[in-house]
Amino acid sequence: MDPAAAFELVMLLQQFGQASDRYVESTGTRYRTHRTDMNALSVIIGFEREGTCPTPGDLSRILQLSSPATSAMLDRLERMGHIQRLRIDKDRRVVRIKATPKAHADGKAMFAPLATSMMGVISAYTQEEVKLISRFMSDAAAGVDKARQDGENT
């Protein structure tokens, strides 16, 4: 492997991350939503796609927030009409978080322009290239998580 080419790819990934951050920041400003709130909604909707609803503890762990920060975030999301806190388990002490139809509609409005733009970019590649890029992006995300975990263990 050419080290210069690998370094260039790392720099491009950094640029992609920064561009994504700018999109989220500008969208959050426009919709008066905190970055953490948008990340939480993404996690909640991801859980729902898998057929379940997360607990506040799940969100705290995944988003790396303290319990008080998680509670404050959930209070904001509830005030905005983006979540419901449900007691749907047999153990009524367990609270589950569900995204509301308003959250889905607002999320679509916030991220439809990005999805449209990215689909335009992706459509320029063959199916085989998209599979390879998808594998790389999955591996790259895992690499970032590993680096974070390694940093926490030092």
Side-chain angles (χ1 to χ4, degrees):
M1 164 162 331
D2 176 11
F7 180 77
E8 177 65 21
L9 181 55
V10 170
M11 293 297 102
L12 290 169
L13 286 169
Q14 184 181 39
Q15 288 175 18
F16 176 79
Q18 291 167 347
S20 295
D21 287 347
R22 287 189 299 272
Y23 185 88
V24 169
E25 288 298 326
S26 68
T27 300
T29 297
R30 223 174 310 125
Y31 285 88
R32 296 184 179 103
T33 305
H34 295 280
R35 168 187 291 274
T36 304
D37 299 351
M38 289 189 282
N39 288 337
L41 286 172
S42 177
V43 170
I44 294 165
I45 291 168
F47 267 79
E48 290 176 3
R49 280 191 201 112
E50 294 176 7
T52 188
C53 296
T55 65
D58 293 328
L59 295 173
S60 181
R61 179 180 43 80
I62 292 167
L63 298 171
Q64 298 192 329
L65 297 173
S66 66
S67 291
T70 301
S71 292
M73 174 198 63
L74 292 173
D75 289 344
R76 284 192 307 270
L77 289 171
E78 194 169 45
R79 277 193 306 273
M80 294 173 70
H82 285 161
I83 64 157
Q84 293 177 303
R85 297 178 201 208
L86 306 172
R87 295 184 188 278
I88 54 178
D89 291 26
K90 276 188 169 184
D91 182 346
R92 303 293 289 166
R93 294 172 295 177
V94 176
V95 175
R96 298 277 175 182
I97 309 300
K98 181 169 178 53
T100 64
K102 181 181 183 336
H104 288 276
D106 288 353
K108 186 175 180 180
M110 285 186 234
F111 291 98
L114 178 60
T116 299
S117 179
M118 293 308 297
M119 290 306 291
V121 170
I122 293 166
S123 70
Y125 294 89
T126 67
Q127 184 174 349
E128 293 76 26
E129 289 171 324
V130 170
K131 284 181 183 177
L132 176 63
I133 295 166
S134 295
R135 190 179 103 215
F136 170 77
M137 292 302 295
S138 177
D139 291 347
V144 171
D145 286 339
K146 182 183 181 321
R148 178 184 47 79
Q149 291 166 354
D150 289 350
E152 289 172 355
N153 295 329
T154 59

